[in-house]
Amino acid sequence: MVKLMDEVELTQNGNWIEVWGADWVLEGCASCNGVFVLPPQKVSQRCPFCGQAALAQMDPSDDRPIYTQPPELVVPFRTAEDRLRASVGKFAKSIWLAPADLNENALLSRMQPVYLPMWLVDAQVQGEWQAEMGFDYEIVSHREEYQHNNWQTERVKEKRVRWEQRLGRLNRQYENQSAPALDEQEQVEAKIGRFNLKEAKPFQQDDLTNAIAHLPNRPPEDAWNEAVVGLKTAVTQDCRLASEADHTRGFKWSPQFANQQWTQLLLPIYTSYYLDDENQVRMVLLHGQTGKLYGVLRASTKRAYRITNMMLKAASVFLGIATVLFLVDLLGAEGAESWITLALLLMVGLGVAAFLPVLYALIVNATQRTKEREK
Ligand SMILES: [Zn+2]
């Protein structure tokens, strides 16, 4: 359980980062404003989260990030290497005319384990509640039907819900309600899926040996509102169970909260990137438990134009051949006509097909851009 930030005592030289338990380095990204705790051998590399800037060292005693306490829990990485390799290989091969940098080896060599923070909060909830509780019941009716020269009676069951107004008082301890410690958490989970928190274990220094930890950009007081949303869902569910009802609607409550205890938990992801034709960094994220990958694909328009160019050149060669054959035909040679037709057909075919690669690249990139906007 964490103490509030202002209670955190600085160590003698004012370097709070030592509370993490080892000689970590603090670095920040000027592009996504992410603040990271890194092992010393990892300093000043490209931002492992957005990829848009190099990380710059911060002075822990001057640039104090929003929240600096080390985590209590960690969900360990557990995706097998061959699984990661398969995910990355499939991604790299999923596009024709990929940029040169989009290949399995480059992606694997840049793969970086990163921990993202989230909160678990315990709280005592007290207060009045009221809601409409719905109870399922069945009515049975009979339907007469004339079949096979006979009247037949069929029993028909119909489900209905009876609604009743209920109210009550609640006083209960709720544990491990999740709340985001990062603005970007929802986005990340939308891309690679949620995490199985049942695998969480106590955090140890060794967990950071090779990994980079993203510090929270939403402190507990900021994340609390979202924890309340989750608590309300849990409370609604409990009130429904206590009423032995099947449904609820119009839940209202006037809660009071006490004894909030915050736990910081780290979630495992891998990040990697490739450079597209314009040397833009394209991030690739992988789930540290399932290996699920999210990445934006870009086709190489440069490669497409090169192929188009080659095909147009080949088409002009066939035009040349057809012209020569035509002259030969004029001179009275036998059987040139069919060769002229063939050369002209090849020329037209290549000329039309030549535009397909460029068209493909433009369409793929436009589709991907739309997809990205939707995420
Ligand atoms: Zn960044």
Side-chain angles (χ1 to χ4, degrees), residues 28-34 36 46-53 55 214:
C29 170
S31 180
C32 67
N33 291 324
F36 301 88
R46 191 184 288 274
C47 172
F49 194 56
C50 73
Q52 301 304 317
L55 292 181
H214 198 312

Side-chain angles (χ1 to χ4, degrees), residues 9 24 171 185 193 209 231:
E9 285 168 30
W24 307 114
N171 183 0
Q185 185 179 335
T209 307
L231 280 169

Side-chain angles (χ1 to χ4, degrees), residues 72-93:
E72 287 80 20
L73 293 173
V74 58
V75 174
F77 285 92
R78 70 156 166 78
T79 316
E81 205 185 312
D82 53 343
R83 185 77 193 274
L84 290 177
R85 189 172 281 276
S87 266
V88 165
K90 193 174 151 212
F91 174 72
K93 287 189 198 95

Side-chain angles (χ1 to χ4, degrees), residues 188 191-192 269-271 283-287 292-294:
V188 170
K191 288 170 179 168
I192 55 175
I269 66 166
Y270 292 97
T271 67
M283 288 307 284
V284 174
L285 304 182
L286 288 108
H287 196 292
K292 188 179 173 196
L293 181 147
Y294 171 86

